[in-house]
Amino acid sequence: MTVYLVGAGPGDPGLLTLRGAELLRSADVVLYDRLVTSDVLRLVRNEALCIDVGKQPGTDSGAADHRQDDIGRLLVEHGRTAAIVVRLKGGDPFVFGRGGEEIEILERAGIAWEIVPGVTSALGVPGAAGIPATHRGLASSVTIVTGQTRHAGESSGCRHDPDWAALARTGGTLVILMGMASRAAIAAALIAAGRCPDTPVAVIQNGTTPAQRTVRTTLAGLAEVDLGPPAVIVVGPVAGLGLRARGSEGPGV
Ligand SMILES: C[S@@+](CC[C@H](N)C(=O)[O-])C[C@H]1O[C@@H](n2cnc3c(N)ncnc32)[C@H](O)[C@@H]1O
């Protein structure tokens, strides 16, 4: 009896690992997140028990923690009785996926577990849109950061909030997940910390799926971008590169 934390990748089922696909085809129980696409779930056997444990975007942290407790309980319950349990998470389980917390719960319960990494949306989504995370002469570092912070424009005193001033100073590529609700505050904080308002920015919504949309703008224009989640925000010169992505209608689309 083993619980497998499987990364489903950013959306396109072709980006799921071979190991992940093999486990989905043989799983007895699958607990899946909101961002896992129906194309990926199609691999699950009809006889398997499939449980949607997704959290709604914008859920407050109290409700999200409550839901996370329920997920922990389900993992332990099924991990004790089913031969193959797959905990299927969007992207990679260890990138803003609370995968570490779930492993700690399984460890405490004495249940065997295995991690099957996935293609994280932080790199796979910009990549599929033709935006490299690093590029010789343009960006020598990339930082993946959560935009889910209530205080992007000020020091919140919360040690878990990103330090936007420090991030602005790195000069490298910033990839912001869960940042659409705070995009105006994030842009203002980065500009206030010295990042040029003309810095190229790309916002990619529903990356690697047929609904993928990319908007190119600048830090000064980020607040005006009218795309909802799920979206990845890329800040830095790489976002201005005109590489033509497969399936796009032209450079910069
Ligand atoms: C809770 S985080 C989970 C990240 C995930 N573990 C990963 O490695 O991609 C969810 C955020 O990932 C980003 N995301 C996930 N899939 C995406 C997609 N197909 N297109 C754009 N953004 C995506 C969005 O920023 C979304 O708000």
Side-chain angles (χ1 to χ4, degrees):
M1 284 184 267
T2 303
V3 175
Y4 298 86
L5 257 77
V6 176
D12 178 349
L15 297 175
L16 181 67
T17 62
L18 291 175
R19 176 91 176 121
E22 176 189 299
L23 284 165
L24 280 180
R25 288 195 192 97
S26 51
D28 302 298
V29 180
V30 178
L31 295 105
Y32 64 95
D33 276 348
R34 190 180 48 86
L35 285 179
V36 174
T37 58
S38 50
D39 284 342
V40 171
L41 289 172
R42 239 168 247 137
L43 294 171
V44 179
R45 297 182 302 137
N46 286 338
E47 303 75 39
L49 174 62
C50 234
I51 308 173
D52 175 358
V53 294
K55 303 181 202 93
Q56 285 310 307
T59 306
D60 67 63
S61 60
D65 286 345
H66 188 66
R67 190 84 177 113
Q68 192 64 37
D69 291 343
D70 290 342
I71 294 171
R73 273 191 288 278
L74 284 169
L75 282 176
V76 171
E77 182 186 318
H78 291 291
R80 287 198 171 125
T81 51
I84 300 180
V85 177
V86 169
R87 172 69 176 108
L88 189 60
K89 290 172 164 291
D92 181 89
F94 280 170
V95 178
F96 298 124
R98 302 188 76 164
E101 291 166 60
E102 294 179 11
I103 295 298
E104 283 169 356
I105 290 169
L106 293 169
E107 275 283 316
R108 279 198 295 274
I111 294 168
W113 55 268
E114 187 184 314
I115 294 287
V116 181
V119 174
T120 177
S121 63
L123 300 175
V125 164
I131 300 169
T134 65
H135 191 79
R136 203 173 159 83
L138 282 187
S140 57
S141 70
V142 56
T143 308
I144 301 169
V145 58
T146 175
Q148 212 171 50
T149 156
R150 264 165 274 169
H151 306 280
E154 59 199 66
S155 168
S156 67
C158 170
R159 67 191 168 89
H160 299 300
D161 272 0
D163 181 343
W164 294 102
L167 290 169
R169 283 193 297 274
T170 69
T173 304
L174 295 182
V175 178
I176 304 163
L177 303 189
M178 299 172 281
M180 289 313 280
S182 310
R183 62 193 184 284
I186 291 169
L190 290 172
I191 291 169
R195 207 81 201 242
C196 175
D198 292 334
T199 303
V201 168
V203 181
I204 308 126
Q205 180 193 49
N206 291 313
T208 80
T209 77
Q212 175 173 313
R213 277 194 66 197
T214 304
V215 171
R216 308 267 190 163
T217 181
T218 60
L219 258 189
L222 176 57
E224 308 308 321
V225 174
D226 191 18
L227 292 182
V232 168
I233 303 170
V234 184
V235 179
V238 292
L241 281 174
L243 303 181
R244 193 187 156 98
R246 195 163 50 120
S248 70
E249 285 155 24
V253 175

